[in-house]
Amino acid sequence: ALVFHNVNDYTMPVVSGIANGRERIGAAFDCAYGEVYKRLDVGLSNPIEPETINGGPVREIVLTGEDVDLFELPVPLFSIHDGGPMITAGVTIAKTEDGSLNAGIYRFLVREKNLTGIDIVTPNDLQRLALAAFRRDEALPITINLGTHLAVNIGATYRAPLGLSELSIAGGMAGEAVRLTPGETSDVPCIADAEIVLEAEILPTGWIKPEGRFGEFTRLMGGLHRNPQVLVKAISMRKDAMYYALHMPWEVILPGAPNREAAVRRAFKLANLDLVDVNITPGGSCYFHAVVSIRKRPGDAKHAIMAALIASDIKHVVVVDEDIDVFNGDDVEWALATRVQADRDIVTIPDLRAKPLDPSLRITPGITPVTTKCGIDATIPDDLPRERFERIEYAYADELVLSDYIGGGDGAASTAVDVDINDLAARIKATLEKEPVYFAALSEVFEAEGFKALSRALGELHAAGELWQDAKGRLCLTESEFAAVPPPSI
C-alpha cells in the first residue's frame, strides 16, 4: 500500500493499494485471507443493523454551496485511455422505496466542480432506483462515501438477498454496527467514520451523457457508455482526510473474491459435496474462474461442476482431487494434463446469465447477452487403476543429520560396514516371506548394513531366481502368493 503525502498542486494525501494484497485484506479482519469468507458468512447469518449518531469524524469539515469544489480533491487518472479522473472507491448509499438503505460501489467521472457522471449501465438496484426516479422526473438523493472499512466495501459489493441491507452485512462482518450520520443537505445518511463524503443526487436527465472509458476489473479497457449525471451539493471530511484512490483492478477483484468463495461454499454444502478448498483465481479476475478440490465419491466431480457454475456468476470451473493445491497453478495444470480426457471430462452449458463486461460475448442490440459456461473434471477417473496416479515421493527426502555430512558427527554415515552378504540375503528373504516391500522400505529396515550391501544381497536373490515383484512393484519372492504376472511387453 502506498501513501503519497506531497501530491503536486494538492494539500490532501492520496492512499492506494490498501486492499491489493491478500495479507492486507486478512489484516482488516484480523484473520488469514482464507478465513475472510467466514466473516462474510457471519455477516449474512448474523447481520447487525447500522447505528445512527449525530456527528462523527467525517463531519469535522463541511463544505456547501460555492465551496463545493471537486477539483480540490486529488482524484487521479488511472489508465491512459480513461475519459478523465474518476472517483473509484465511492460506497454509494441510496434509499429504497420502503425507506431501507441500499449500498454499492460505483465510479464517478469528474466533469465540473460540482458535477460528475455515474456508471450505472449494468442492471442493479441503484440503476432500478435511478430509473424509477427518472420516470417520476425526480432526482435520486445519494451519498458517496470514500475511505471506509473494508467490511463496508465487501458488503457493498455483495448481491444481497431481498430484505437484507448491505450495510447490515458489513456490520455483521466487522462485529459492530456501521455508524451513520444524517446528511447536511440530504435525507440519505452517510458513513460517520469515512474519510470523505459527497452528498449528491442523480439528476433526472436520463442516460444521455457519454461516460468512460475506464479500465475495468477484467484488466481491459471498458467501452463508452451513456449514463446519468450527478450533482454534488456538499462535501464533508475529516480534518486530516486522505483521498482513497482504489486501484483497479486489484482492489476490486481481491476483496470481491470472498463473496464468490462464500457463494461456492454454500452451494457445495447444499449439494452435500465434501469441499476441501476453493480458489477464486486472480487470473480469472476473481470473478470468472473457480478451482475447487473435493473428497470425491462416484459422480461427485460433475455434481461439483454444476454447483460451482450456479454460484455467483462463475464462468469456468476446474474440479480437482484433494491432493491438488488449488492455489498452485502448476499443480492444477498438472491435474489437467494427467487426469483429463476432453470428450469425457469437459462439460459445457449454453445460454446462461452473463456478466456484461465479458469481452468475449457476442452482443446483439436490444438483446440481453448470455454466455456458455464450462466445467472441467480434473479428478482421477473412478474406473482407472489408482497406481497410475501415484505421485513421486523422493526416497530419503524427509530428514538428515547434517553433521554426518559436513563434519562434527561420528562419521557413521560414511563408514563402511563389514557385512556377510549371504546372511543379509537370508534375512531379506525372511522379511519378504511375510509381505511385499518396496526397496526404500527395505533400506530403512536394513539401514545399519548400508545401501551397497543391501543392493548386493538383493542381487544375489535375483541371480538365484528368488526375487520378483507384486502388482504394485514391491519386492517379493518368486514363488510367493504375492508375485504378479506382468503384462506382455510391447
Side-chain angles (χ1 to χ4, degrees), residues 52 55 119 147 173 253 262 267 293 355 425:
T52 300
D119 185 33
M173 289 188 72
I253 66 175
S293 55
K355 182 68 174 175

Side-chain angles (χ1 to χ4, degrees), residues 33-54:
Y33 178 82
E35 303 294 308
V36 173
Y37 80 91
K38 294 181 180 179
R39 294 297 187 92
L40 179 58
D41 278 341
V42 170
L44 290 168
S45 58
N46 297 290
I48 299 175
E49 291 298 320
E51 170 191 355
T52 300
I53 65 171
N54 188 16

Side-chain angles (χ1 to χ4, degrees), residues 94-102 125 128-130 132-133 136 140:
K95 281 189 175 180
T96 65
E97 298 86 348
D98 63 2
S100 60
L101 299 178
N102 172 262
D125 288 335
R128 178 180 57 80
L129 294 172
R136 298 191 304 267
L140 179 70

Side-chain angles (χ1 to χ4, degrees), residues 30-200:
D30 196 27
C31 66
Y33 178 82
E35 303 294 308
V36 173
Y37 80 91
K38 294 181 180 179
R39 294 297 187 92
L40 179 58
D41 278 341
V42 170
L44 290 168
S45 58
N46 297 290
I48 299 175
E49 291 298 320
E51 170 191 355
T52 300
I53 65 171
N54 188 16
V58 80
R59 289 300 187 204
E60 291 174 346
I61 298 175
V62 179
L63 305 172
T64 59
E66 288 300 314
D67 292 329
V68 172
D69 190 351
L70 296 174
F71 296 132
E72 288 299 318
L73 298 178
V75 183
L77 183 75
F78 287 90
S79 304
I80 62 172
H81 294 147
D82 284 356
M86 295 203 195
I87 297 168
T88 54
V91 175
T92 303
I93 300 175
K95 281 189 175 180
T96 65
E97 298 86 348
D98 63 2
S100 60
L101 299 178
N102 172 262
I105 297 182
Y106 306 91
R107 67 168 184 264
F108 299 84
L109 173 62
V110 177
R111 293 187 178 277
E112 303 173 19
K113 63 178 293 189
N114 64 348
L115 190 73
T116 77
I118 178 173
D119 185 33
I120 47 174
V121 69
T122 301
N124 54 49
D125 288 335
L126 186 62
Q127 186 204 65
R128 178 180 57 80
L129 294 172
L131 186 58
F134 168 70
R135 288 168 177 162
R136 298 191 304 267
D137 194 27
E138 296 175 0
L140 179 70
I142 59 174
T143 60
I144 304 163
N145 302 264
L146 304 171
T148 61
H149 190 279
L150 199 55
V152 176
N153 291 36
I154 292 177
T157 58
Y158 187 80
R159 185 179 291 168
L162 290 175
L164 183 59
S165 163
E166 293 87 357
L167 295 176
S168 64
I169 295 173
M173 289 188 72
E176 59 183 0
V178 176
R179 301 200 308 169
L180 301 178
T181 189
E184 183 76 16
T185 64
S186 170
D187 67 345
V188 177
C190 63
I191 297 174
D193 297 297
E195 295 287 312
I196 304 167
V197 168
L198 311 180
E199 295 180 22

Side-chain angles (χ1 to χ4, degrees), residues 63-401:
L63 305 172
T64 59
E66 288 300 314
D67 292 329
V68 172
D69 190 351
L70 296 174
F71 296 132
E72 288 299 318
L73 298 178
V75 183
L77 183 75
F78 287 90
S79 304
I80 62 172
H81 294 147
D82 284 356
M86 295 203 195
I87 297 168
T88 54
V91 175
T92 303
I93 300 175
K95 281 189 175 180
T96 65
E97 298 86 348
D98 63 2
S100 60
L101 299 178
N102 172 262
I105 297 182
Y106 306 91
R107 67 168 184 264
F108 299 84
L109 173 62
V110 177
R111 293 187 178 277
E112 303 173 19
K113 63 178 293 189
N114 64 348
L115 190 73
T116 77
I118 178 173
D119 185 33
I120 47 174
V121 69
T122 301
N124 54 49
D125 288 335
L126 186 62
Q127 186 204 65
R128 178 180 57 80
L129 294 172
L131 186 58
F134 168 70
R135 288 168 177 162
R136 298 191 304 267
D137 194 27
E138 296 175 0
L140 179 70
I142 59 174
T143 60
I144 304 163
N145 302 264
L146 304 171
T148 61
H149 190 279
L150 199 55
V152 176
N153 291 36
I154 292 177
T157 58
Y158 187 80
R159 185 179 291 168
L162 290 175
L164 183 59
S165 163
E166 293 87 357
L167 295 176
S168 64
I169 295 173
M173 289 188 72
E176 59 183 0
V178 176
R179 301 200 308 169
L180 301 178
T181 189
E184 183 76 16
T185 64
S186 170
D187 67 345
V188 177
C190 63
I191 297 174
D193 297 297
E195 295 287 312
I196 304 167
V197 168
L198 311 180
E199 295 180 22
E201 57 186 24
I202 301 175
L203 298 175
T205 53
W207 282 251
I208 59 171
K209 291 285 187 176
E211 190 274 339
R213 302 168 69 199
F214 186 65
E216 300 288 358
F217 77 91
T218 57
R219 289 187 271 173
L220 300 169
M221 289 304 303
L224 191 68
H225 302 149
R226 289 182 180 269
N227 270 310
Q229 302 295 282
V230 173
L231 178 67
V232 179
K233 302 168 71 175
I235 300 176
S236 62
M237 66 184 78
R238 296 170 179 254
K239 289 180 180 178
D240 58 349
M242 304 178 76
Y243 181 82
Y244 176 33
L246 183 149
H247 185 203
M248 290 288 285
W250 311 110
E251 290 193 87
V252 173
I253 66 175
L254 288 172
N259 289 349
R260 281 163 279 286
E261 180 180 344
V264 169
R265 289 182 178 276
R266 283 193 297 274
F268 275 54
K269 185 175 181 179
L270 289 172
N272 194 28
L273 292 163
D274 192 356
L275 179 67
V276 176
D277 215 339
V278 54
N279 180 16
I280 308 297
T281 68
S285 298
C286 291
Y287 198 97
F288 295 110
H289 291 174
V291 182
V292 296
S293 55
I294 62 172
R295 295 182 186 89
K296 191 179 72 166
R297 298 161 296 188
D300 274 359
K302 300 297 192 299
H303 201 171
I305 288 173
M306 306 301 290
L309 290 180
I310 65 170
S312 189
D313 287 318
I314 290 167
K315 180 181 174 185
H316 301 142
V317 61
V318 178
V319 180
V320 295
D321 294 292
E322 60 182 306
D323 68 309
I324 301 297
D325 180 358
V326 298
F327 295 96
N328 183 321
D330 286 345
D331 217 23
V332 174
E333 186 179 358
W334 176 72
L336 291 169
T338 59
R339 303 181 182 186
V340 172
Q341 285 293 306
D343 61 333
R344 178 191 65 201
D345 296 319
I346 296 179
V347 176
T348 59
I349 309 172
D351 301 326
L352 296 177
R353 184 176 65 195
K355 182 68 174 175
L357 283 174
D358 180 353
S360 70
L361 295 176
R362 287 174 170 80
I363 305 297
T364 302
I367 299 177
T368 301
V370 294
T371 191
T372 296
K373 295 190 175 187
C374 172
I376 302 177
D377 176 2
T379 63
I380 295 174
D382 295 323
D383 59 343
L384 294 181
R386 299 292 294 186
E387 56 265 24
R388 286 194 193 178
F389 301 94
E390 193 168 2
R391 286 188 184 231
I392 294 172
E393 292 184 47
Y394 291 102
Y396 323 119
D398 292 338
E399 62 183 29
L400 57 83
V401 179

